Amino acid sequence: MKYLKGERVVHPGMPAWGIGEVLEESSEDHVRIFFVGTGEKKLSLKHVMPVRVSGNEAAHPILDNLRISKSASGIRYQSLPESIQIFLAQFPGGFRGERFARHERDYKDKANRQASDLLGKEPFDALLAAGDHAEVVRRALKLINATNLVYPGEKISLRDGLKSEAGRSLFSLALHGLLHGDDSFEGRFSGFAKVLDGIGAGKWTTATYFPFFLRPDQYMFVKPTITQFAAELCGFELNYTPQLNWRTYHSVLGFSRYLFDALEELEPRDMIDVQSFMWCIAPGTYADGE
């Protein structure tokens, strides 16, 4: 029996491996399959015949966005149960524990409250109506300085790009559009990214910081290395490039939503919890702190 690239299958004797995707057309003797529960396997067709599945039974976010290329980082695939155990070893109480609150959650909750106070729709509308772009910038810089998620050099680049009135005006309008506009989020994000590029501050951390803290129920903060490491661990293709672009951020949002749903047993509240989970499971990162 031949198996074709892209077919979805399950191993009849290993249900814990979950759904798999055939990575290349099989030979007469072997087939390479990526299983969501264990990663890539080369199976002997003399000993096992994977069972094809289709429809809802074959659906899985990882396989729909499967990353199969090898990266220079050398990160191996890690199943989600493995990642959860690594996370719980650091935070035995999970997302609701005291240690997680102290190290990961409390200061981000504080920044979330500040975001609403400083750049919520009502105060932001009033500032734009008054043409007070300088105050918008002051508040944006205050918010970005409220945590250490953005690198100091990137904070300086943003501050330097906002020294002129023209820069402050463009930034204020684009930031308001990003956070409170009525157009598609794709258009709003792309418009804000274009302004950041224009003032020399086009970094992923800066572009995603404000929506993450104002609407953590919907949007994810992107720290490139950490986000890529977490996605590689899960075999999820982010379509990442250093240049700000919607395709990458759309992939990040899809990956974040997958994790949020898959971590249901830990009861994540929002993307703040998911972002912390990414940080904690990425190899060698948590010990350095945020």
Side-chain angles (χ1 to χ4, degrees):
M1 180 185 295
K2 281 279 188 180
Y3 291 90
L4 302 179
K5 180 179 180 180
E7 287 186 318
R8 303 282 171 89
V9 299
V10 294
H11 190 300
M14 300 296 291
W17 287 7
I19 305 166
E21 180 168 311
V22 178
L23 298 179
E24 61 187 16
E25 184 175 334
S26 66
S27 68
E28 291 184 3
D29 298 325
H30 295 88
V31 61
R32 288 176 57 235
I33 302 173
F34 181 96
F35 291 96
V36 296
T38 191
E40 185 177 328
K41 295 289 185 180
K42 186 176 182 179
L43 303 182
S44 170
L45 296 178
K46 294 178 180 179
H47 298 101
V48 63
M49 298 298 292
V51 178
R52 291 182 175 89
V53 294
S54 60
N56 291 337
E57 190 179 359
H60 195 282
I62 291 294
L63 298 183
D64 292 343
N65 299 274
L66 184 60
R67 178 189 177 94
I68 57 174
S69 60
K70 303 298 182 183
S71 70
S73 67
I75 293 176
R76 71 169 185 84
Y77 177 75
Q78 185 169 281
S79 71
L80 192 62
E82 289 178 286
S83 293
I84 290 173
Q85 289 308 307
I86 290 171
F87 171 74
L88 290 177
Q90 299 174 57
F91 299 102
F95 294 132
R96 310 297 171 135
E98 186 275 335
R99 176 174 165 78
F100 184 81
R102 185 172 70 252
H103 286 272
E104 290 291 326
R105 184 77 202 193
D106 288 350
Y107 79 98
K108 293 172 184 172
D109 277 340
K110 182 178 179 181
N112 170 232
R113 293 190 295 270
Q114 284 183 294
S116 295
D117 292 341
L118 296 171
L119 297 173
K121 189 174 189 312
E122 188 172 327
F124 209 150
D125 284 349
L127 291 172
L128 281 192
D132 197 347
H133 302 142
E135 178 60 16
V136 171
V137 166
R138 187 193 71 80
R139 294 184 179 201
L141 293 177
K142 180 177 181 180
L143 180 60
I144 215 166
N145 284 318
T147 73
N148 58 0
L149 293 185
V150 177
Y151 294 118
E154 295 172 351
K155 293 178 181 181
I156 292 172
S157 295
L158 178 62
R159 185 193 65 199
D160 289 348
L162 296 173
K163 288 182 176 179
S164 71
E165 172 54 31
R168 291 192 292 269
S169 175
L170 287 171
F171 175 83
S172 298
L173 293 172
L175 181 61
H176 184 273
L178 175 73
L179 300 179
H180 305 298
D182 296 325
D183 298 334
S184 70
F185 192 72
E186 175 181 355
R188 290 149 53 196
F189 178 84
S190 297
F192 185 60
K194 183 176 180 180
V195 168
L196 289 181
D197 284 336
I199 63 173
K203 298 295 184 179
W204 280 108
T205 50
T206 308
T208 58
Y209 186 91
F210 299 104
F212 173 68
F213 276 114
L214 190 67
R215 294 296 306 273
D217 59 321
Q218 291 189 35
Y219 303 119
M220 176 55 70
F221 171 71
V222 178
K223 205 157 193 172
T225 300
I226 300 306
T227 309
Q228 288 179 85
F229 277 6
E232 287 180 34
L233 282 173
C234 295
F236 197 104
E237 178 58 68
L238 288 186
N239 302 297
Y240 177 81
T241 67
Q243 295 74 33
L244 300 178
N245 69 93
W246 173 248
R247 184 186 184 207
T248 295
Y249 194 53
H250 185 260
S251 296
V252 169
L253 294 178
F255 176 52
S256 304
R257 178 52 57 181
Y258 156 69
L259 283 179
F260 182 87
D261 293 341
L263 294 171
E264 180 181 12
E265 66 182 81
L266 299 181
E267 300 181 342
R269 287 155 287 203
D270 51 31
M271 295 305 167
I272 291 177
D273 285 344
V274 174
Q275 191 270 333
S276 294
F277 181 83
M278 288 186 194
W279 179 273
C280 294
I281 67 172
T285 56
Y286 187 71
D288 298 331
E290 286 185 324

